[in-house]
Amino acid sequence: MKVLQYPDFTNSNPYQTLMYDALRHQGCEVVSFNASPRTLLKRLLTDPSNILHLHWISTHIVKPGKLRVSVSMVIFGTALVIWRLRRKKIVWTLHNLVNHEQQNASLDRLNSQIVARLADVILLHGESARTAAKEVLIVSENKFTVVPHGNYDGIITYHPIREPQTDFSQRGMRFLFVGSIKPYKGVPDLINTFKELAGPHQLRIVGHAADTDLRQMIKDSAEKDNRIACLLKFVTDSELEEHLAWADVVVMPYRDIFTSGSLVLALTAGRPIVAPNIGLIQDYVDEQCAFLYDPMEVDGLANALSKAARMSDHKESSRAAKKAADKLKWDFIGDQLVSIYEKLMARRSQ
């Protein structure tokens, strides 16, 4: 079985690397591809693969110029129609309902609805996504299949908590935000809320902020509290390991979330999280390894940080996080994906 994966972001996202390895372990031939819709169209005219597995389909939407974007959409849709006319199958992993930048949002939604109609199977990372996905994409229930987001074993190391509980009460809690910094992720809110948290606690903000205004806002806020450190750049895997090993808790103060690799990243490292109880978070964690809050509550984040700062058993929370991550092993997920592919191939031959 030969599967064409598009677009390919393995240079910046280990999620696909791990997925490809799992599929190859199951005997799948994986070919990854990243190009413009025009080049994709040429590729799909002759590509011998059995299945096209789509991922982030907004890459040609998040660009300036509605006319240019509209033309790209038509070419992209035409490429998929040609693929279907060749009696090939389409699987689409729905990572986001709309691009995080909200750029050309109406066109993005239309593009997603077109792809949803053409796809044979739409993969969701959790059951909680089903209702929202169905409402936005306007397709039948039987198109959706849940396949969880795999963990980052092999990329991130589990760092068990070894310090005695008394050490934490003396040095305070170490909070970490990690990942690309965008407006919807609520980093300024986190900084302002953390500054109200009394005690010798520490906060690190680690990640690239492309928005210059947001970047400056974060710097200005952090300078007023010497407990806060900011590393506003891309970090290597080894640097990421160091930050996760340093942290006690990973904080995700998102205003909006559908799927989060950062969540699974934290769990893989054995770190409990602070996060809003929205999106797919409730599908992956419970109170044993997470401090969840209602984002509509004014003091929701503050209360969750305060509760995390008073955590009574760090070692148990760390083990619970790792246990949650262990449920997301790629060998199991690879087997699920291959089973989906095989069913589609059997349907094609009928």
Side-chain angles (χ1 to χ4, degrees):
M1 184 185 302
K2 191 172 184 179
V3 181
L4 180 64
Q5 304 274 349
Y6 176 90
D8 177 60
F9 288 164
T10 50
N11 287 336
S12 59
N13 193 339
Y15 166 86
Q16 284 182 305
T17 301
L18 292 165
M19 185 181 72
Y20 298 169
D21 289 345
L23 289 174
R24 289 176 180 130
H25 184 71
Q26 294 287 337
C28 243
E29 183 179 352
V30 178
V31 179
S32 56
F33 185 63
N34 194 25
S36 67
R38 193 179 301 274
T39 305
L40 177 67
L41 173 59
K42 295 178 182 178
R43 177 75 178 254
L44 296 191
L45 284 168
T46 58
D47 192 282
S49 301
N50 310 110
I51 291 169
L52 173 64
H53 191 148
L54 298 171
H55 292 277
W56 298 272
I57 62 169
S58 298
T59 53
H60 57 282
I61 303 294
V62 188
K63 292 180 179 179
K66 290 190 180 296
L67 178 58
R68 179 186 177 192
V69 169
S70 298
V71 171
S72 293
M73 276 180 56
V74 171
I75 295 172
F76 183 66
T78 301
L80 300 187
V81 169
I82 288 172
W83 184 257
R84 291 302 306 269
L85 289 174
R86 293 183 61 203
R87 299 186 67 240
K88 307 279 191 172
K89 299 299 182 180
I90 298 175
V91 175
W92 175 28
T93 295
L94 185 62
H95 295 279
N96 303 303
L97 282 174
V98 67
N99 69 84
H100 293 310
E101 292 79 8
Q102 297 288 317
Q103 189 168 346
N104 299 317
S106 59
L107 290 176
D108 195 3
R109 178 168 294 199
L110 177 60
N111 183 59
S112 294
Q113 290 170 345
I114 292 169
V115 173
R117 294 292 180 89
L118 293 170
D120 296 278
V121 176
I122 302 171
L123 303 182
L124 305 173
H125 282 313
E127 192 62 42
S128 297
R130 190 181 295 270
T131 300
K134 185 179 178 182
E135 289 177 356
V136 170
L137 301 178
I138 319 175
V139 291
S140 62
E141 181 83 18
N142 58 17
K143 277 209 174 186
F144 297 110
T145 298
V146 174
V147 176
H149 189 302
N151 66 30
Y152 288 94
D153 280 345
I155 304 294
I156 295 299
T157 304
Y158 169 49
H159 297 281
I161 299 294
R162 302 187 186 281
E163 298 171 87
Q165 183 65 33
T166 53
D167 290 355
F168 287 93
S169 60
Q170 293 171 4
R171 69 161 169 77
M173 191 66 64
R174 293 171 176 170
F175 294 100
L176 172 69
F177 172 93
V178 63
S180 60
I181 300 173
K182 298 180 180 181
Y184 80 93
K185 291 190 175 182
V187 174
D189 293 340
L190 169 59
I191 292 174
N192 292 328
T193 303
F194 176 81
K195 288 192 293 189
E196 299 299 319
L197 182 64
H201 311 296
Q202 299 175 68
L203 170 64
R204 280 188 190 177
I205 307 295
V206 179
H208 176 64
D211 186 313
T212 54
D213 291 339
L214 178 60
R215 184 185 183 89
Q216 192 60 49
M217 184 188 306
I218 291 169
K219 284 184 174 181
D220 291 343
S221 298
E223 284 177 352
K224 300 172 184 178
D225 191 327
N226 59 16
R227 299 176 302 163
I228 304 173
C230 295
L231 186 64
L232 304 183
K233 67 169 191 174
F234 291 110
V235 294
T236 64
D237 288 346
S238 60
E239 289 174 321
L240 179 60
E241 284 273 12
E242 291 176 5
H243 292 299
L244 286 167
W246 170 86
D248 302 315
V249 179
V250 173
V251 189
M252 301 167 53
Y254 299 174
R255 300 191 189 110
D256 179 49
I257 185 173
F258 191 71
T259 301
S260 176
S262 296
L263 166 64
V264 183
L265 193 78
L267 297 178
T268 305
R271 293 298 174 265
I273 65 162
V274 169
N277 193 12
I278 57 176
L280 297 181
I281 288 179
Q282 60 189 318
D283 292 348
Y284 287 76
V285 296
D286 56 25
E287 66 280 358
Q288 291 183 310
C289 61
F291 301 90
L292 304 181
Y293 63 92
D294 183 347
M296 301 304 293
E297 291 184 2
V298 176
D299 296 325
L301 175 58
N303 291 336
L305 288 177
S306 179
K307 187 176 180 180
R310 300 191 307 271
M311 191 190 309
S312 61
D313 193 338
H314 298 74
K315 293 182 179 180
E316 187 59 36
S317 296
S318 175
R319 284 192 290 264
K322 184 60 169 65
K323 186 176 180 181
D326 286 343
K327 296 177 182 177
L328 308 172
K329 289 189 176 297
W330 274 106
D331 53 358
F332 169 67
I333 294 170
D335 184 64
Q336 285 184 290
L337 290 172
V338 169
S339 178
I340 291 168
Y341 296 158
E342 289 175 342
K343 287 177 181 177
L344 289 177
M345 292 301 298
R347 193 188 308 170
R348 179 189 177 194
S349 62
Q350 291 176 352

